[in-house]
Amino acid sequence: MKNKFLSNFNYLIHERKDICNQNQLAIKLGVRRQTIHSYAIGDGEPSYDKLIIICESYGITPNDILLEDLSK
């Protein structure tokens, strides 16, 4: 699960930043930008409630970010 989340999260924050950039996402999640960076490098994972907010921000489902390859 972690590898899919990690690759999909990085895809979203780098390739889909037109929808929601890292600063906007940090504000929506109520975390510091450094927390977003820790998710991106695999040093942490969001809690379930924050995962839901991430998905809502990009218009995807938790299954999408956890199980699919969003870069395709």
Side-chain angles (χ1 to χ4, degrees):
M1 177 180 95
K2 186 173 185 174
N3 290 337
K4 254 327 166 193
F5 170 78
L6 186 59
S7 62
N8 283 332
F9 185 73
N10 278 299
Y11 169 76
L12 291 170
I13 63 171
H14 295 293
E15 303 300 325
R16 303 299 308 269
K17 59 187 170 191
D18 56 316
I19 294 173
C20 185
N21 66 39
Q22 291 184 42
N23 290 329
Q24 293 167 326
L25 188 58
I27 291 167
K28 287 182 180 190
L29 296 177
V31 299
R32 297 179 308 162
R33 192 169 175 279
Q34 290 84 354
T35 302
I36 302 299
H37 178 70
S38 74
Y39 298 163
I41 62 171
D43 279 349
E45 290 183 346
S47 61
Y48 184 73
D49 60 324
K50 294 197 184 317
L51 179 69
I52 297 298
I53 295 169
I54 292 168
C55 292
E56 289 173 349
S57 298
Y58 290 99
I60 60 172
T61 68
N63 279 348
D64 292 336
I65 198 168
L66 297 174
L67 303 173
E68 303 297 325
D69 181 356
L70 297 178
S71 66
K72 291 184 176 183

